[in-house]
Coordinates of all heavy atoms in Angstrom, one line a residue:
G169 N 17.2 0.0 -8.4 CA 16.3 1.1 -8.9 C 16.3 2.5 -8.2 O 16.3 3.5 -8.8
H170 N 16.4 2.4 -6.9 CA 16.3 3.8 -6.2 C 17.6 4.6 -6.3 O 17.5 5.8 -6.1 CB 16.0 3.5 -4.6 CG 17.1 2.8 -4.0 ND1 17.3 1.5 -4.0 CD2 18.1 3.3 -3.0 CE1 18.3 1.1 -3.3 NE2 18.8 2.1 -2.8
K171 N 18.5 4.0 -6.8 CA 19.9 4.7 -7.0 C 20.1 5.1 -8.5 O 20.9 5.8 -8.9 CB 21.1 3.9 -6.5 CG 21.0 3.8 -5.0 CD 22.3 2.9 -4.6 CE 22.3 2.6 -3.1 NZ 23.5 1.8 -2.6
G172 N 19.3 4.4 -9.3 CA 19.5 4.6 -10.8 C 20.6 3.7 -11.4 O 20.9 3.9 -12.6
T173 N 21.2 2.9 -10.5 CA 22.3 2.1 -11.1 C 21.9 1.1 -12.0 O 20.9 0.3 -11.8 CB 23.0 1.3 -9.8 OG1 23.4 2.2 -8.8 CG2 24.3 0.6 -10.3
G174 N 22.5 0.9 -13.1 CA 22.2 0.0 -14.2 C 21.1 0.5 -15.1 O 20.7 -0.4 -16.0
R175 N 20.5 1.6 -14.9 CA 19.4 2.0 -15.8 C 19.8 2.1 -17.3 O 19.0 1.6 -18.1 CB 18.9 3.4 -15.2 CG 17.7 3.9 -15.9 CD 17.2 5.2 -15.5 NE 18.3 6.2 -15.4 CZ 18.0 7.4 -15.0 NH1 16.9 7.7 -14.3 NH2 19.2 8.3 -15.0
E176 N 20.9 2.7 -17.5 CA 21.3 2.8 -18.9 C 21.7 1.6 -19.5 O 21.3 1.3 -20.7 CB 22.5 3.9 -19.0 CG 22.1 5.3 -18.5 CD 20.9 5.8 -19.1 OE1 20.7 5.6 -20.5 OE2 20.0 6.5 -18.5
D177 N 22.3 0.7 -18.8 CA 22.6 -0.7 -19.2 C 21.3 -1.4 -19.6 O 21.2 -2.1 -20.6 CB 23.4 -1.5 -18.3 CG 24.7 -1.0 -18.1 OD1 25.3 -0.1 -18.9 OD2 25.4 -1.2 -17.0
L178 N 20.2 -1.2 -18.7 CA 19.0 -1.9 -19.0 C 18.3 -1.3 -20.2 O 17.8 -2.0 -21.0 CB 18.2 -1.7 -17.8 CG 16.7 -2.3 -17.9 CD1 16.8 -3.8 -18.1 CD2 15.9 -2.1 -16.6
R179 N 18.4 -0.1 -20.5 CA 17.8 0.6 -21.6 C 18.6 0.1 -22.8 O 17.9 -0.2 -23.8 CB 17.9 2.1 -21.5 CG 16.9 2.8 -20.5 CD 17.0 4.3 -20.5 NE 15.9 4.9 -19.7 CZ 15.8 6.3 -19.5 NH1 16.6 7.0 -20.1 NH2 14.8 6.7 -18.7
A180 N 19.8 0.0 -22.8 CA 20.6 -0.5 -23.9 C 20.1 -1.9 -24.3 O 20.1 -2.3 -25.5 CB 22.0 -0.4 -23.7
A181 N 20.0 -2.7 -23.3 CA 19.5 -4.1 -23.5 C 18.1 -4.2 -24.1 O 17.9 -4.9 -25.0 CB 19.6 -4.9 -22.2
I182 N 17.2 -3.3 -23.6 CA 15.9 -3.2 -24.2 C 16.0 -2.9 -25.7 O 15.2 -3.5 -26.6 CB 15.1 -2.3 -23.4 CG1 14.8 -2.8 -21.9 CG2 13.7 -2.0 -24.1 CD1 14.2 -1.8 -21.0
R183 N 16.8 -1.9 -26.0 CA 16.9 -1.5 -27.3 C 17.5 -2.6 -28.3 O 16.9 -2.9 -29.3 CB 17.8 -0.2 -27.4 CG 18.1 0.3 -28.8 CD 19.0 1.4 -28.9 NE 19.1 2.1 -30.2 CZ 18.4 3.2 -30.5 NH1 17.7 3.9 -29.5 NH2 18.4 3.7 -31.7
A184 N 18.5 -3.3 -27.7 CA 19.1 -4.3 -28.6 C 18.1 -5.5 -28.8 O 18.0 -6.0 -30.0 CB 20.4 -4.9 -27.9
V185 N 17.3 -5.9 -27.8 CA 16.3 -6.9 -28.0 C 15.2 -6.5 -28.9 O 14.6 -7.2 -29.8 CB 15.7 -7.4 -26.6 CG1 14.5 -8.3 -26.8 CG2 16.9 -8.0 -25.9
A186 N 14.7 -5.2 -28.7 CA 13.7 -4.7 -29.6 C 14.1 -4.6 -31.0 O 13.2 -4.7 -32.0 CB 13.2 -3.3 -29.1
E187 N 15.3 -4.2 -31.3 CA 15.9 -4.1 -32.7 C 16.3 -5.3 -33.4 O 16.7 -5.3 -34.6 CB 16.9 -2.9 -32.7 CG 16.3 -1.6 -32.4 CD 17.5 -0.5 -32.4 OE1 18.6 -1.0 -32.3 OE2 17.1 0.6 -32.4
R188 N 16.3 -6.4 -32.5 CA 16.8 -7.7 -33.0 C 16.0 -8.1 -34.2 O 14.8 -8.3 -34.1 CB 17.0 -8.7 -32.0 CG 17.8 -9.9 -32.3 CD 18.0 -10.7 -31.0 NE 16.8 -11.0 -30.2 CZ 16.8 -11.3 -28.9 NH1 18.0 -11.4 -28.2 NH2 15.7 -11.5 -28.3
T189 N 16.6 -8.6 -35.3 CA 15.8 -9.0 -36.5 C 15.8 -10.4 -36.5 O 14.8 -11.1 -37.0 CB 16.3 -8.3 -37.8 OG1 17.7 -8.7 -37.9 CG2 16.2 -6.9 -37.8
E190 N 16.9 -11.1 -36.2 CA 16.9 -12.7 -36.3 C 16.1 -13.3 -35.3 O 16.2 -12.8 -34.1 CB 18.3 -13.2 -36.3 CG 19.0 -13.1 -35.0 CD 19.6 -11.6 -34.7 OE1 19.3 -10.8 -35.5 OE2 20.2 -11.5 -33.6
P191 N 15.3 -14.3 -35.5 CA 14.5 -15.0 -34.5 C 15.4 -15.7 -33.5 O 16.5 -16.2 -33.7 CB 13.7 -16.0 -35.2 CG 14.4 -16.2 -36.5 CD 15.1 -14.9 -36.9
V192 N 15.0 -15.7 -32.3 CA 15.7 -16.3 -31.2 C 14.8 -17.2 -30.4 O 13.7 -17.0 -30.1 CB 16.2 -15.2 -30.1 CG1 17.0 -15.9 -29.0 CG2 17.2 -14.3 -30.8

Side-chain angles (χ1 to χ4, degrees):
H170 66 281
K171 296 180 180 178
T173 305
R175 180 178 59 184
E176 297 308 318
D177 292 339
L178 179 60
R179 287 183 173 180
I182 293 171
R183 183 186 185 100
V185 171
E187 294 178 343
R188 190 166 53 197
T189 57
E190 70 281 1
V192 175

